[in-house]
Amino acid sequence: MNRTLPREIAEQAEIIAEYARREGLDFYPTIFEMLSSEEMSQVAAYGGFPQRYPHWRFGMEYEKLRKQHRYGLGRIYEMVINNDPCYAYLLNDNMMVDHKTVIAHVYAHCDFFKNNYWFSRTNRRMIDEMANHATRVRRYMERHGVEKVERLIDTYLALDNLIDPHSVFMRREPDRTEVRRKREEQSKKPEKVETATRFPAKSYMDRYINPPERLAREREVEQQKEEKTRTSFPESPRRDVLGFLLKYAPLQDWEADVLSIIREEAYYFAPQGQTKILNEGWASYWHSTIMTRYVLSDAELIDYCEHHSGTLATSPGRLNPYKVGIELLRDVERRWNTGRYGPEYDACDDMQTRREWGKDREPKGRVVGKDSPGRQKIYEVRALYNDVTFLDEFLTPEFAEDQKLYHYRYDPSTGKMVVVNRDFDKIKQQMLFMLSNHAQPYIYVMDANYRNRGELYLAHKHIGADLDIKYAVATLKEVQRVWRRPCHLLARIDDEPILFTADGEKSTQQKVDDKTEPAANEFE
Amino acid sequence: MILQINTDHQRFRKIVKGKIRDDLRKFLTRGELLGREGKKLISIPVKGIDTPHFRYGDNNDAGVGKGEGKPGDGVDGEGGVGPGGEGEGRHILEVDISLDELADILGEELKLPRIKPRGKHRITAERDRYTGIRQAGPESLRHFKRTFRRALRRQIMSGLYDPETPRIIFERRDKIYRSWRTVLSPQSNALIIYMMDVSGSMGDEQKELVRLEAFWIDAWLRRNYQGIESRYIVHDVRAGEVDRETFFRIREDGGTRISSAFRLAKDVIDRHYSPLDWNIYLFHFSDGDNSSESDSRECCALLREHLLPSLNLFGYCQVASAYGTGNFINVVHEQLRDLEAVITSRVNNKDDIYDSIKTFFSPGR
């Protein structure tokens, strides 16, 4: 395919890059390629990558995208790969003004990839890595047969949301041998350290201040606890189920390798899921700033406006991440330019005063430009925040009101979604819920030696929403295929703890007394 | 890269076909397909083709939206911050598939052999194919791309081409035209005559069964022949030829004389379809309740002496009805047992259609 960029577009890309740098954006070298819509569907099916491991799911994605395009339901304007250099694709039947907008948008994404903290651990040679994965999987397919490898990938893909996106920032956990060594060391120590709490007391008062029964009781509890940690494995709940399986499931080398490929790709894509609103908001902020301030020619104005408003359009009952992102960033910029922040502002609960805030201060109104405090603040936001922290910190009641946000809920009596209220706390809570863990349930490995039979025990941490039972049963079966021993999942359904079990032949579910869910802020 | 997506896409299509195959029995009984025949592609909802995930259930559906509306007002659209297109999960995939592909799946699943046209039915037809090119021809057949290319080449070679103003002007000698070749292709034609008893005992339910069965018979035969003609005959005591619409809609009352239909079928064949040129399939649907034994015997005589010699297949499908005694199938069994081209089946409900089609076509005639 012919992907060379026509000269006039290449020139525009250079010009826009210069403006972007002047505004403070800092991005990897970016390579633009020109694709037909058919090619775009192909590349998009592979998540933007020229090469992926072979799998039918990409064929399905391709069929969907192609159909969407054919029926005019969707058009992929832009695609960027987080890689150094970044790769981005332009659609060949677009107008020049679209190309310019997309190019500006792309540079902002590249800047975000390069500078946002949540991307700091991603592989910047992912294009090569993906090609490498493709080669490895192909080799396994030659050796073990296409169907077998594909079925295995199906299984792993069912579990690819069971990762812990935060774990990449954590200290490496000790592996099993290290834990054992530590324990042995401890048991070699001659005397047992007194663990029960003893309050300081004069000897004649000791009996009363530290009653022996209490000490005995406390010692017993301690002992039980220690007993439990010694026999239970893992010692504390593990959120990276995929990593756990990779390490401890009875996999052949090649199976483990395929799993490591799926896991690596899941971790690579995780930050993009965590920063959708912020990243798209950032890119939209910059394409509009660069276009309107520098690049747009008079003749292009109408087409630009149409494209831009199309990107930011919201239909009733939907939140467009582009729109929320750009509006919230602009709000932050405005607030920091007018001093609407800090303890004094936060403490003020009079809406009128808040609205008037900063109007009498210097500098007056909105200070625009590179060195304004607002601009500096949003640069800081782009470096340090993800969607959850971004909304948690910067979503204000005024913003929710201006943007006409509301909270809606399914109404079982009518079978429709209805507006519940415009209560700020509810709106915020709901938004954070939908964004945390990328709207995926939290599943933990609780015990890998359940009932001392090497069975795997998982638990769902309930944060206000039940699991989908049908899906849970189907997925647990896939877990079992990997673990090969019976697998269990504890989940709260309609406020009842239910234990799902898959033993490889049949699936069961029953009410249980056990209510051990992973604690609210459990960390490994 | 283009090649790779093709491989993945074909894998996906194969899996889809597998899913359809798994559900085929159910699928054959779905009425919604009937309206779609004639159109080339059929959209089929395919369930369960995604990989499962742990996910939240339906009963927690709530979200944040944007727009006007008081508490209690309905929300339009889907709703939700569902980040990054992840919210779409709950749909069922629709896959486009051609009726031919579907017929192939039907054939594979029912283990039906491809029908081989008998030797005497092979005729050849002339067809024109636009495969060649010429220097001369009518303007309407000008091959634009080649003409353009030649003109471009000439202009570049003669130094007339200016990249700044890329204007291409054709000359007479640049022009290239498409031309055709006449090819002889073997053509196999088939005629299907559907006959149905429309006496009072054949109710809507019975007709629905006939409709479904006829649809799949049609689909399967169309897959095997290039040219298919269908004729429709309804009868009570008298028979008449009708169009497809009427065939499935008409409702009469009164007695039944099956022989009237057979006579009309014979007439149609004699007049329009020489058995030398046509593969002929005759299907009769009835609840098996003929007015008299003597007429039933006459039917068998008609079949044996006049119809069967020119038929590939006579399929008799007896549909269960609350009113019928359903004896005709027994008569056919008794009298025509020795003839291979006669095949009977009973359809009591939709589920039987699968087996009925299998019975009709397994011998591969």
Side-chain angles (χ1 to χ4, degrees):
Chain A
M1 62 181 82
N2 179 20
R3 302 153 152 207
T4 12
L5 210 55
R7 200 180 40 198
E8 49 170 349
I9 299 178
E11 277 167 9
Q12 283 300 325
E14 262 319 298
I15 295 169
I16 293 168
E18 196 36 52
Y19 288 126
R21 279 190 210 103
R22 204 188 293 171
E23 287 283 345
L25 291 178
D26 161 33
F27 38 87
Y28 293 124
T30 304
I31 296 165
F32 288 96
E33 289 182 356
M34 192 76 139
L35 301 183
S36 69
S37 59
E38 171 66 12
E39 291 163 339
M40 194 68 128
S41 299
Q42 292 178 29
V43 178
Y46 287 117
F49 285 88
Q51 282 211 44
R52 292 290 288 272
Y53 58 83
H55 192 261
W56 60 266
R57 174 183 51 131
F58 301 124
M60 173 168 82
E61 200 52 41
Y62 169 66
E63 171 141 337
K64 268 194 223 162
L65 290 168
R66 211 174 46 159
K67 212 191 256 181
Q68 249 175 32
H69 190 269
R70 197 182 323 139
Y71 299 154
L73 297 173
R75 195 177 165 86
I76 306 160
Y77 271 104
E78 142 264 339
M79 211 164 22
V80 204
I81 312 181
N82 165 27
N83 194 77
D84 181 10
C86 277
Y87 279 80
Y89 303 97
L90 301 173
L91 197 55
N92 68 356
D93 52 5
N94 269 346
M95 286 180 296
M96 191 60 187
V97 60
D98 292 329
H99 289 316
K100 289 186 194 171
T101 312
V102 168
I103 288 167
H105 192 89
V106 161
Y107 283 132
H109 274 315
C110 299
D111 164 86
F112 195 86
F113 291 147
K114 186 175 175 186
N115 295 292
N116 179 271
Y117 175 73
W118 302 92
F119 283 89
S120 59
R121 301 296 174 92
T122 51
N123 186 348
R124 309 295 188 175
R125 296 258 170 250
M126 204 55 190
I127 288 203
D128 305 340
E129 190 62 38
M130 289 282 191
N132 177 8
H133 291 173
T135 315
R136 269 146 72 195
V137 171
R138 274 209 190 88
R139 204 187 304 139
Y140 296 135
M141 282 182 164
E142 274 161 30
R143 204 174 301 159
H144 305 282
V146 174
E147 307 241 337
K148 192 173 172 189
V149 177
E150 205 173 47
R151 181 67 190 91
L152 187 74
I153 294 175
D154 289 351
T155 296
Y156 294 156
L157 285 176
L159 313 176
D160 78 346
N161 60 343
L162 303 181
I163 59 169
D164 180 0
H166 300 281
S167 68
V168 285
F169 302 104
M170 289 174 199
R171 192 176 57 84
R172 261 196 62 217
E173 26 128 343
D175 66 16
R176 203 163 8 176
T177 51
E178 204 177 319
V179 173
R180 199 177 303 138
R181 192 174 46 76
K182 251 192 206 154
R183 241 181 234 142
E184 275 161 16
E185 258 171 33
Q186 246 171 16
S187 63
K188 271 183 216 142
K189 281 181 190 160
E191 78 264 44
K192 192 100 184 80
V193 190
E194 180 66 76
T195 49
T197 328
R198 234 172 202 295
F199 299 104
K202 295 203 166 83
S203 62
Y204 66 93
M205 284 293 281
D206 192 59
R207 226 154 64 77
Y208 302 99
I209 289 173
N210 297 310
E213 313 86 69
R214 189 189 62 85
L215 286 180
R217 210 168 47 236
E218 220 167 273
R219 232 176 260 129
E220 201 182 324
V221 171
E222 286 288 329
Q223 216 162 5
Q224 267 174 3
K225 225 175 169 180
E226 206 198 295
E227 195 64 28
K228 189 143 191 283
T229 42
R230 190 170 305 174
T231 52
S232 74
F233 169 67
E235 284 181 53
S236 58
R238 288 281 175 84
R239 215 181 119 195
D240 185 357
V241 181
L242 222 49
F244 189 86
L245 292 174
L246 181 60
K247 219 163 183 182
Y248 302 112
L251 300 174
Q252 287 172 26
D253 285 350
W254 72 272
E255 292 173 324
D257 191 37
V258 175
L259 180 55
S260 77
I261 285 171
I262 302 296
R263 182 165 174 266
E264 195 186 333
E265 297 195 3
Y267 272 106
Y268 169 79
F269 286 114
Q272 313 199 9
Q274 284 176 292
T275 56
K276 183 84 183 165
I277 292 177
L278 187 53
N279 196 354
E280 291 303 353
W282 181 251
S284 302
Y285 175 95
W286 282 109
H287 83 232
S288 87
T289 306
I290 291 171
M291 287 302 282
T292 52
R293 210 164 287 176
Y294 305 108
V295 182
L296 203 54
S297 72
D298 297 350
E300 292 170 335
L301 180 70
I302 303 287
D303 288 322
Y304 166 77
C305 287
E306 197 187 346
H307 180 154
H308 180 72
S309 55
T311 313
L312 300 187
T314 36
S315 47
R318 283 212 62 180
L319 276 190
N320 176 342
Y322 293 73
K323 175 77 175 166
V324 180
I326 189 176
E327 292 297 348
L328 198 50
L329 278 169
R330 283 185 174 152
D331 189 53
V332 171
E333 186 183 29
R334 229 172 354 243
R335 282 173 56 200
W336 259 257
N337 278 342
T338 50
R340 298 180 192 195
Y341 61 94
E344 210 185 322
Y345 177 78
D346 289 341
C348 170
D349 53 8
D350 181 67
M351 286 301 252
Q352 196 53 36
T353 322
R354 277 170 83 107
R355 289 226 178 259
E356 298 292 315
W357 200 283
K359 285 207 169 155
D360 53 337
R361 287 194 206 176
E362 289 297 328
K364 285 237 185 289
R366 186 170 169 223
V367 183
V368 287
K370 196 168 170 246
D371 300 318
S372 71
R375 187 61 74 74
Q376 279 166 12
K377 185 65 188 175
I378 61 170
Y379 266 103
E380 184 190 313
V381 170
R382 101 49 168 100
L384 299 176
Y385 288 76
N386 60 32
D387 286 348
V388 172
T389 54
F390 179 45
L391 284 160
D392 189 27
E393 187 153 344
F394 299 108
L395 192 70
T396 59
E398 292 94 319
F399 182 82
E401 197 186 314
D402 292 345
Q403 295 292 315
K404 298 187 174 152
L405 301 184
Y406 57 75
H407 175 231
Y408 69 78
R409 176 166 278 290
Y410 178 75
D411 178 7
S413 63
T414 59
K416 282 191 183 142
M417 297 289 180
V418 292
V419 177
V420 182
N421 53 39
R422 294 180 183 271
D423 178 35
F424 175 68
D425 289 335
K426 272 313 280 190
I427 289 170
K428 185 165 171 177
Q429 194 189 335
Q430 182 68 34
M431 284 181 93
L432 291 177
F433 167 70
M434 288 187 291
L435 292 169
S436 45
N437 203 34
H438 199 185
Q440 307 287 325
Y442 290 87
I443 308 284
Y444 289 81
V445 178
M446 303 297 282
D447 191 351
N449 187 25
Y450 181 57
R451 300 193 288 198
N452 203 20
R453 289 183 194 167
E455 297 176 5
L456 190 67
Y457 192 98
L458 308 174
H460 170 225
K461 186 170 87 181
H462 199 283
I463 52 167
D466 288 2
L467 285 184
D468 182 311
I469 297 176
K470 247 169 90 185
Y471 275 77
V473 170
T475 315
L476 193 62
K477 273 189 203 158
E478 300 295 322
V479 178
Q480 197 278 332
R481 292 173 71 97
V482 183
W483 191 249
R484 296 191 195 162
R485 298 274 310 141
C487 291
H488 312 269
L489 169 74
L490 180 72
R492 184 149 33 110
I493 308 285
D494 287 335
D495 265 324
E496 298 267 13
I498 307 282
L499 189 68
F500 294 87
T501 298
D503 65 5
E505 281 166 8
K506 56 186 192 325
S507 302
T508 56
Q509 38 186 298
Q510 58 190 30
K511 275 184 203 170
V512 286
D513 295 332
D514 193 352
K515 292 195 172 155
T516 354
E517 272 179 34
N521 47 7
E522 191 96 47
F523 276 108
E524 288 158 21
Chain B
M1 183 177 61
I2 293 176
L3 287 176
Q4 202 203 322
I5 201 76
N6 282 346
T7 335
D8 287 340
H9 192 227
Q10 275 157 19
R11 266 304 287 156
F12 166 67
R13 302 285 303 185
K14 209 172 147 194
I15 291 168
V16 166
K17 285 184 189 172
K19 290 271 175 203
I20 293 174
R21 191 165 300 153
D22 291 345
D23 273 345
L24 195 63
R25 195 178 273 271
K26 253 185 278 160
F27 199 75
L28 291 188
T29 63
R30 278 207 206 133
E32 76 235 30
L33 272 179
L34 299 181
R36 314 227 189 161
E37 75 180 306
K39 281 179 205 158
K40 254 190 132 180
L41 289 177
I42 303 168
S43 273
I44 293 183
V46 183
K47 257 186 272 180
I49 201 143
D50 53 343
T51 44
H53 274 105
F54 287 123
R55 58 196 256 178
Y56 294 126
D58 279 345
N59 57 342
N60 303 292
D61 276 347
V64 173
K66 177 175 162 63
E68 308 293 338
K70 304 183 297 298
D73 287 358
V75 172
D76 302 327
E78 287 288 293
V81 187
E86 292 287 312
E88 58 180 68
R90 232 147 288 207
H91 67 274
I92 294 167
L93 188 69
E94 288 239 335
V95 182
D96 286 343
I97 198 163
S98 69
L99 198 53
D100 277 353
E101 276 179 292
L102 212 52
D104 279 344
I105 294 173
L106 180 77
E108 283 164 39
E109 187 53 24
L110 293 174
K111 306 217 166 41
L112 303 180
R114 280 299 291 263
I115 296 167
K116 287 193 202 84
R118 286 181 289 180
K120 61 170 177 171
H121 293 283
R122 207 173 294 134
I123 60 162
T124 47
E126 286 185 358
R127 283 179 58 225
D128 292 335
R129 260 205 200 141
Y130 288 92
T131 48
I133 51 160
R134 280 185 203 163
Q135 291 274 17
E139 283 301 301
S140 58
L141 287 181
R142 199 178 69 214
H143 193 306
F144 180 78
K145 214 165 165 184
R146 283 183 185 246
T147 305
F148 182 85
R149 217 153 42 197
R150 271 170 70 104
L152 180 65
R153 187 161 49 204
R154 181 180 49 76
Q155 272 180 251
I156 289 173
M157 277 176 4
S158 55
L160 293 171
Y161 181 73
D162 173 13
E164 291 303 315
T165 48
R167 205 172 301 152
I168 306 293
I169 299 156
F170 302 147
E171 285 181 15
R172 184 80 203 87
R173 54 187 160 154
D174 298 325
K175 290 186 181 173
I176 295 279
Y177 301 87
R178 286 171 216 273
S179 76
W180 63 93
R181 232 161 21 109
T182 303
V183 285
L184 293 175
S185 65
Q187 186 139 358
S188 46
N189 291 318
L191 165 72
I192 320 172
I193 301 181
Y194 295 101
M195 302 181 291
M196 180 162 50
D197 174 359
V198 288
S199 60
S201 48
M202 289 287 285
D204 287 344
E205 221 173 290
Q206 281 73 29
K207 289 223 196 73
E208 177 68 9
L209 294 177
V210 174
R211 240 163 98 92
L212 282 167
E213 173 127 5
F215 176 81
W216 290 108
I217 288 173
D218 237 46
W220 174 243
L221 287 176
R222 271 178 210 284
R223 181 60 185 146
N224 283 280
Y225 294 102
Q226 281 147 4
I228 289 261
E229 288 207 16
S230 307
R231 305 294 282 255
Y232 301 90
I233 293 173
V234 290
H235 71 90
D236 43 26
V237 283
R238 274 182 309 264
E241 198 180 344
V242 295
D243 59 23
R244 184 183 175 81
E245 277 297 291
T246 320
F247 183 74
F248 290 115
R249 242 189 243 135
I250 197 168
R251 177 149 190 189
E252 305 274 300
D253 224 329
T256 312
R257 198 184 298 141
I258 297 177
S259 63
S260 63
F262 288 8
R263 224 170 251 125
L264 182 56
K266 177 181 173 298
D267 196 38
V268 169
I269 294 170
D270 286 350
R271 260 195 291 163
H272 303 286
Y273 303 93
S274 155
L276 293 171
D277 299 341
W278 294 85
N279 289 280
I280 303 173
Y281 293 83
L282 194 60
F283 290 95
H284 183 226
F285 302 91
S286 151
D287 57 4
D289 201 10
N290 205 5
S291 57
S292 68
E293 278 296 314
S294 66
D295 189 67
S296 294
R297 275 196 301 278
E298 197 183 334
C299 287
C300 292
L302 262 171
L303 278 168
R304 187 185 283 277
E305 281 154 35
H306 298 288
L307 284 165
L308 283 165
S310 47
L311 291 183
N312 287 43
L313 173 72
F314 169 68
Y316 173 63
C317 178
Q318 189 158 301
V319 187
S321 151
Y323 309 102
T325 50
N327 196 43
F328 190 64
I329 196 167
N330 301 329
V331 178
V332 172
H333 279 169
E334 270 167 40
Q335 310 245 341
L336 303 169
R337 197 174 352 181
D338 55 321
L339 293 169
E340 270 186 16
V342 177
I343 297 177
T344 59
S345 81
R346 282 174 195 275
V347 172
N348 297 324
N349 54 47
K350 285 183 175 181
D351 281 349
D352 294 340
I353 288 172
Y354 183 92
D355 298 309
S356 174
I357 290 175
K358 189 172 175 146
T359 318
F360 281 142
F361 291 108
S362 295
R365 257 181 297 268

